[in-house]
Amino acid sequence: GAVVSQHPSRVICKSGTSVKIECRSLDFQATTMFWYRQFPKKSLMLMATSNEGSKATYEQGVEKDKFLINHASLTLSTLTVTSAHPEDSSFYICSALPGAVLAGERDTQYFGPGTRLTVL
Amino acid sequence: GDSVTQMEGPVTLSEEAFLTINCTYTATGYPSLFWYVQYPGEGLQLLLKATKADDKGSNKGFEATYRKETTSFHLEKGSVQVSDSAVYFCALISVYGNNRLAFGKGNQVVVIP
């Protein structure tokens, strides 16, 4: 159980286009999802916290107009990179926090497999 | 603020060797502690966790004990395999942190046959 999927797994786009990444919790409901960005050989950088039915909370330095987050349901959050540029190329990872206690796993985040974005 | 410190640099060792990755933390209150593993090209997988002092998390031969007195959560495995080659991240969640994970920088582990 506790599986999180991301789609697409890999995307290549031209500079100036927008890209949408989906994060789904497949077998549990997630009131909170998180979006991270990972640079090569670096740790994960938290970009924003996404709560179902409310506006996302962005970390300092993350442009909310560039990285649009929508958490429309208890199993789906989307990250849209608007007007992407080469510097947005990165590995984007989401995680989901179960809304209900799953056998004592209340504080455990479950991660998606990541999305590799390359902007040409 | 909450933070996690992992030992510097990659770790290269031979198959069947003993692995230790050090992790220390700074946090308000009593955080939950985690080790996540990331295989090449993939997301993070929870390896093990501990939620209170003296708890030992274990999984797939890996162990880590929550040491409040030394604020540490070192990861150990007695005999590594080539398949254990991955990046290992230590992390914590504090009750004061709005469920946000604080990660260490990660350690690349390479196991040579």
Side-chain angles (χ1 to χ4, degrees), chain B residues 31-43:
Chain B
S32 293
L33 303 174
F34 305 83
W35 277 100
Y36 283 89
V37 58
Q38 185 178 32
Y39 297 101
E42 299 183 9

Side-chain angles (χ1 to χ4, degrees), chain A residues 76-110:
Chain A
L76 173 64
S77 176
T78 60
L79 168 68
T80 301
V81 183
T82 62
S83 187
H85 291 282
E87 58 266 28
D88 299 323
S89 298
S90 194
F91 194 53
Y92 292 88
I93 304 176
C94 73
S95 70
L97 190 65
V101 175
L102 291 178
E105 300 295 330
R106 189 185 191 110
D107 57 357
T108 300
Q109 291 184 25
Y110 295 93

Side-chain angles (χ1 to χ4, degrees), chain A residues 7-8 11 13 17-23 35 68 70 76-82 115 117:
Chain A
H7 177 80
V11 57
C13 68
T17 60
S18 294
V19 174
K20 180 185 283 189
I21 302 170
E22 293 186 348
C23 176
W35 286 97
L68 300 178
N70 187 331
L76 173 64
S77 176
T78 60
L79 168 68
T80 301
V81 183
T82 62
T115 297
L117 170 63

Side-chain angles (χ1 to χ4, degrees), chain A residues 34 36 38 42-44 46 49 59 91 93 97 104-114, chain B residues 32 34 36 38 41-46 49 51 87 89 93 98-101 103-106:
Chain A
F34 301 85
Y36 297 85
Q38 187 178 33
K42 296 285 186 182
S43 188
L44 280 74
L46 178 64
T49 302
E59 296 299 302
F91 194 53
I93 304 176
L97 190 65
E105 300 295 330
R106 189 185 191 110
D107 57 357
T108 300
Q109 291 184 25
Y110 295 93
F111 284 79
Chain B
S32 293
F34 305 83
Y36 283 89
Q38 185 178 32
E42 299 183 9
L44 274 68
Q45 299 176 26
L46 177 65
K49 64 179 282 190
T51 58
V87 180
F89 292 95
I93 283 183
N98 294 321
N99 290 316
R100 293 154 64 197
L101 274 169
F103 281 97
K105 292 186 176 180

Side-chain angles (χ1 to χ4, degrees), chain B residues 23-70:
Chain B
C23 170
T24 56
Y25 67 89
T26 302
T28 304
Y30 302 96
S32 293
L33 303 174
F34 305 83
W35 277 100
Y36 283 89
V37 58
Q38 185 178 32
Y39 297 101
E42 299 183 9
L44 274 68
Q45 299 176 26
L46 177 65
L47 182 59
L48 55 84
K49 64 179 282 190
T51 58
K52 60 183 187 296
D54 300 325
D55 266 4
K56 177 186 285 187
S58 61
N59 186 26
K60 299 181 181 178
F62 291 89
E63 293 184 341
T65 301
Y66 191 144
R67 301 288 188 198
K68 184 173 180 298
E69 62 276 13
T70 55

